[in-house]
Amino acid sequence: MNIVTIKINGIEYNLKGDEREEYLHKVASYVDKKIKNIMSNNEKLSTSSAAILTALNLGDDMFKSKLLNTEFSSKEKSLEIHDKELTEQLEGLKKQLVHLEDYNQELLNKCKTTDKTEYVKALERENIDMQQQLDIMQETSKNCIEENRKMEMENKEIKFKLQSYKYKIIDSQNKLIEYQISLAKQKKINNPLLSSHKK
């Protein structure tokens, strides 16, 4: 057990403790600063009142420290859980990586075997088939474009003819009206009753 002489607010005290001397001096210095700070703010305070206020401040510090400690402990637990989840994810990813490496090795082995030529030939045949399909699609596309162009030309011609027919119909309607007017005039001239009525 260590015995240490310390000073708090100018008064010496002997402390006994299992802790190291440096630690006891550090605690005493902390308390000394607290009590001096309280007394400097209010010079009329007695030593006992200042000691009580210091004890209250120290108690406040202690409770706040405990709250912080509880918060940190809670955060530490959540971090441990999160760390565990991440570790499990990492293990899962490692297993997937091993599986993919095995699969990759299997593919490499297939390529190295005597079946390599068959595999390459199968790929070439597939490539030729795809090229033929592409050629057919391109040809079909060209035909569709050509048919579409022809239909557009025909559509233009039909629109032109339709417009011409509209003008012809309007012209015929005008002629019909003129003919009806002429016919009505002719009827008046040829009808003696209408002529005498005018007289």
Side-chain angles (χ1 to χ4, degrees):
M1 183 172 287
N2 294 320
I3 299 172
V4 179
T5 302
I6 57 158
K7 269 191 179 181
I8 295 176
N9 199 27
I11 301 170
E12 289 187 352
Y13 298 92
N14 290 326
L15 285 182
K16 291 180 183 180
D18 294 329
E19 293 83 4
R20 291 168 55 185
E21 285 187 28
E22 294 85 3
Y23 175 76
L24 294 173
H25 280 294
K26 201 172 187 179
V27 172
S29 176
Y30 179 72
V31 174
D32 187 48
K33 282 179 185 175
K34 284 275 186 184
I35 199 164
K36 282 181 178 176
N37 185 38
I38 287 169
M39 292 191 81
S40 66
N41 289 332
N42 191 347
E43 294 176 1
K44 294 180 180 179
L45 281 176
S46 64
T47 306
S48 59
S49 296
I52 289 170
L53 287 174
T54 303
L56 285 170
N57 284 337
L58 292 173
D60 181 50
D61 290 346
M62 183 191 71
F63 282 114
K64 283 177 180 174
S65 297
K66 280 185 177 179
L67 283 172
L68 282 172
N69 188 38
T70 305
E71 285 178 19
F72 287 138
S73 296
S74 176
K75 284 180 182 177
E76 185 182 7
K77 284 178 184 176
S78 65
L79 286 171
E80 283 175 1
I81 292 167
H82 186 61
D83 185 54
K84 189 178 178 183
E85 289 173 357
L86 290 175
T87 305
E88 287 173 359
Q89 286 179 13
L90 182 62
E91 289 301 318
L93 290 171
K94 281 180 181 177
K95 286 177 184 176
Q96 285 182 9
L97 180 62
V98 170
H99 177 70
L100 288 172
E101 285 174 349
D102 291 342
Y103 181 65
N104 187 37
Q105 190 61 46
E106 187 182 330
L107 290 175
L108 287 171
N109 291 338
K110 279 184 181 178
C111 288
K112 288 177 184 177
T113 59
T114 53
D115 293 333
K116 179 182 177 182
T117 52
E118 284 300 319
Y119 182 68
V120 171
K121 282 179 182 178
L123 286 175
E124 285 174 351
R125 283 195 298 271
E126 190 177 341
N127 190 30
I128 289 166
D129 289 343
M130 288 176 74
Q131 187 61 48
Q132 286 174 349
Q133 288 178 15
L134 181 63
D135 292 340
I136 291 166
M137 288 172 72
Q138 284 178 339
E139 188 63 31
T140 306
S141 177
K142 282 180 185 177
N143 292 337
C144 286
I145 290 168
E146 184 62 26
E147 284 180 18
N148 189 38
R149 190 184 63 77
K150 286 179 183 177
M151 287 178 72
E152 283 179 354
M153 293 292 290
E154 287 176 9
N155 193 23
K156 283 181 182 177
E157 288 177 14
I158 289 168
K159 281 183 178 177
F160 180 74
K161 285 180 182 178
L162 183 63
Q163 194 66 33
S164 298
Y165 289 143
K166 281 182 180 177
Y167 287 135
K168 284 180 182 178
I169 288 168
I170 291 168
D171 188 49
S172 296
Q173 286 175 341
N174 289 336
K175 284 181 181 178
L176 180 62
I177 291 167
E178 287 175 7
Y179 176 74
Q180 287 175 342
I181 292 169
S182 174
L183 185 63
K185 285 180 181 177
Q186 193 65 36
K187 278 184 181 179
K188 277 187 181 180
I189 292 167
N190 293 338
N191 192 338
L193 292 172
L194 289 171
S195 299
S196 63
H197 178 69
K198 277 185 176 182
K199 290 177 185 178

